[in-house]
């Protein structure tokens, strides 16, 4: 599949204006994830995100590493609950009705 943007795209939701991070995640079977991009200092522990997880809404781990582009990472249910990174689920646009 050519044309995948690996570096990630920072943008804003055209509907609600939340900052978004959209990128392909995974090296073998990549899927495109769009999350609400939180402020760097926001504490978003894994158990909290996992509680909102559904089969169609995975939890992503977002390390904030100095001098590196933002890169979402897969989580599994063995993800360490005390992982210090930010944990995100798919952007749920408050301007769109949930279905
Ligand atoms: Zn994590
Ligand atoms: Zn939105």
């Amino acid at each position: 599949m050519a044309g995948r943007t690996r570096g990630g795209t920072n943008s804003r939701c055209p509907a609600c204006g939340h900052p978004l991070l959209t990128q392909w995640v995974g090296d073998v079977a990549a899927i495109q994830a769009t999350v609400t991009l939180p402020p760097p200092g926001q504490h978003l522990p894994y158990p909290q995100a996992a509680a909102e997880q559904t089969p169609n809404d995975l939890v992503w781990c977002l390390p904030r590493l100095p001098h590196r582009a933002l890169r979402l990472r897969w989580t599994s249910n063995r993800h360490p609950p005390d992982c210090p990174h930010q944990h995100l689920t798919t952007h749920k646009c408050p301007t769109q009705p949930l279905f």
Side-chain angles (χ1 to χ4, degrees):
M1 290 205 202
R4 283 181 179 178
T5 303
R6 279 288 176 182
T9 309
N10 291 4
S11 60
R12 283 183 183 273
C13 176
C16 71
H18 276 115
L20 300 176
L21 174 65
T22 300
Q23 61 188 221
W24 292 97
V25 184
D27 292 323
V28 179
I31 70 171
Q32 191 170 46
T34 298
V35 300
T36 309
L37 187 59
Q42 191 172 346
H43 184 58
L44 293 165
Y46 176 72
Q48 185 181 310
E52 297 176 18
Q53 180 172 227
T54 70
N56 297 318
D57 189 4
L58 303 173
V59 175
W60 307 105
C61 181
L62 181 62
R64 297 265 185 179
L65 302 174
H67 317 300
R68 296 257 203 106
L70 291 175
R71 175 70 75 88
L72 292 168
R73 298 198 303 200
W74 292 93
T75 65
S76 69
N77 54 16
R78 312 183 96 194
H79 201 69
D82 58 350
C83 174
H85 303 136
Q86 293 179 316
H87 298 89
L88 307 165
T89 53
T90 301
H91 175 62
K92 294 174 198 67
C93 190
T95 71
Q96 305 284 319
L98 293 174
F99 55 89

